[in-house]
């Protein structure tokens, strides 16, 4: 089994487990969370965004694959010539359109499609952020990024893939080990086997997400079930409630204690 086959097998195993126990990774899953991906494109940039901004030039055309609501792509567009967000999710495209309209951004457009595209396009920079964990045919995905980039490919990820940071909660709730999504350790061998040697940078930014923390036990249980995307699982709810003291640090709010620490990463290479 080569690196790409191993990678694809991990994605399929996780998708099968997710579909069996919770809302599968598909449109219904992303629709639940799409609004949480709409950030202020003119915010002070966090370190991972700053690292990407340093690689973008004023004359650049950018393609972002699975750009969602534009959390990263729209700030990059503000320093570049144009952004094309290739996004298959209608819910994410809706949030992207809201962000573009609210902030008067004129150089960003949407393409409703999956990657790779049937008709190739090109740009100076081709970017993807937190998408590779869900791609079950990874080599054509990366190859199309490389072939479409006139100067640079950028992949933003984390030292622990975000789908894996709640493995302890998953184990407690469902009573089985979570099938891990592939992260950078699985992605880099795929890239190397394609004859590409990228630059890899760990960025001083711990994985966090804006969220409203629960204030009581019932809210904490709902918070945990929402993170799992669990549906109609009375036993799962009972398991979470029974372990509430271990799953949360309690003070003024209930703070998740299960998340595996993770740091931002940037994987990039030149194509010219």
């Amino acid at each position: 089994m080569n690196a790409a086959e191993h990678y694809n097998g991990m994605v399929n195993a996780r998708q099968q487990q997710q579909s069996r126990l919770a809302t599968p990774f598909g449109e219904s899953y992303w629709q639940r969370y799409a609004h949480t991906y709409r950030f202020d494109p003119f915010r002070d940039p966090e370190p991972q965004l700053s690292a990407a901004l340093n690689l973008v030039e004023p004359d650049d055309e950018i393609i972002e694959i699975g750009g969602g609501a534009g959390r990263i792509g729209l700030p990059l567009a503000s320093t570049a010539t144009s952004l094309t967000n290739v996004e298959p999710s209608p819910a994410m495209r809706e949030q992207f359109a809201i962000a573009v309209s609210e902030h008067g951004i004129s150089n960003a457009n949407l393409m409703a499609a999956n990657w790779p595209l049937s008709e190739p396009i090109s740009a100076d920079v081709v970017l993807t952020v937190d998408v590779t964990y869900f791609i079950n045919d990874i080599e054509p995905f990366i190859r199309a990024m490389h072939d479409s980039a006139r100067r640079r490919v950028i992949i933003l990820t984390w030292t622990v893939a975000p789908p894996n940071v709640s493995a302890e909660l998953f184990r407690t709730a469902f009573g089985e080990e979570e099938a891990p999504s592939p992260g950078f350790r699985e992605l880099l061998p795929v890239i190397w086997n394609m004859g590409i040697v990228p630059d890899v940078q760990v960025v001083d930014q711990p994985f966090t997400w804006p969220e409203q923390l629960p204030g009581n036990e019932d809210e904490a249980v709902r918070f945990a079930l929402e993170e799992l995307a669990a549906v109609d699982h009375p036993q799962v709810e009972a398991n979470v409630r029974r372990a509430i003291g271990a799953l949360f640090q309690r003070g003024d709010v209930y703070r998740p204690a299960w998340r595996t620490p993770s740091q931002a990463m940037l994987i990039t290479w030149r194509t010219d």
Side-chain angles (χ1 to χ4, degrees), residues 147-160:
D147 291 345
S148 298
R150 294 192 289 264
R151 191 182 78 253
R152 183 174 292 279
V153 172
I154 301 173
I155 300 174
L156 297 185
T157 184
W158 302 83
T159 56
V160 177

Side-chain angles (χ1 to χ4, degrees), residues 41-267:
F42 301 115
R43 67 191 183 274
D44 290 336
E46 58 274 17
Q48 187 187 52
L49 174 56
S50 291
L53 284 166
N54 289 337
L55 298 174
V56 172
E57 300 176 4
D59 292 336
D60 279 345
E61 295 175 339
I62 302 171
I63 295 169
E64 184 175 10
I65 302 158
R71 177 175 64 93
I72 297 295
L74 290 178
L76 296 183
S78 69
T79 67
T81 296
S82 67
L83 168 73
T84 298
N85 179 7
V86 181
E87 174 54 62
S89 164
M92 288 292 190
R93 293 198 303 270
E94 179 183 13
Q95 294 300 319
F96 182 88
I98 291 171
V100 166
S101 176
E102 281 185 347
H103 296 280
I105 298 170
S106 60
N107 65 337
N109 60 84
L110 275 166
M111 183 177 292
N114 287 293
W115 189 267
L117 301 174
S118 55
E119 295 292 332
I121 60 175
S122 65
D124 302 286
V125 175
V126 178
L127 162 78
T128 194
V129 183
D130 292 336
V131 169
T132 51
Y133 329 118
F134 309 104
I135 304 304
N136 64 0
D137 196 3
I138 190 62
E139 189 168 338
F141 184 94
I142 300 295
R143 177 59 63 192
M145 290 186 72
H146 181 87
D147 291 345
S148 298
R150 294 192 289 264
R151 191 182 78 253
R152 183 174 292 279
V153 172
I154 301 173
I155 300 174
L156 297 185
T157 184
W158 302 83
T159 56
V160 177
N164 300 338
V165 299
S166 296
E168 181 181 343
L169 172 63
F170 191 100
R171 183 187 313 113
T172 299
F174 293 116
E176 63 182 76
E177 295 295 326
E178 182 181 74
S181 295
F184 81 94
R185 291 179 178 84
E186 292 77 30
L187 181 60
L188 287 175
V190 174
I191 296 171
W192 292 331
N193 286 353
M194 295 170 64
I196 300 166
V197 182
D199 296 322
V200 180
Q201 178 184 352
V202 178
V203 181
D204 187 16
Q205 178 186 333
F207 178 78
T208 59
W209 198 254
E211 56 193 356
Q212 182 68 44
L213 294 177
N216 58 54
E217 183 172 308
D218 287 340
E219 290 178 1
V221 171
R222 288 195 297 272
F223 181 96
L225 295 178
E226 180 73 12
E227 179 139 329
L228 293 164
V231 290
D232 299 327
H233 281 291
Q235 186 57 54
V236 169
E237 181 175 346
N239 291 344
V240 169
R241 192 174 295 276
R242 185 167 53 248
I244 204 80
L247 291 173
F248 289 90
Q249 298 171 346
R250 283 178 281 185
D252 294 339
V253 294
Y254 282 59
R255 195 171 302 279
W258 64 74
R259 290 177 181 154
T260 306
S262 182
Q263 290 286 325
M265 291 186 71
L266 182 147
I267 300 171

Side-chain angles (χ1 to χ4, degrees), residues 2-18:
N2 64 30
E5 291 168 342
H6 175 64
Y7 189 105
N8 298 341
M10 289 182 68
V11 174
N12 289 329
R14 179 61 188 275
Q15 289 176 336
Q16 290 168 10
Q17 185 186 54
Q18 183 75 15

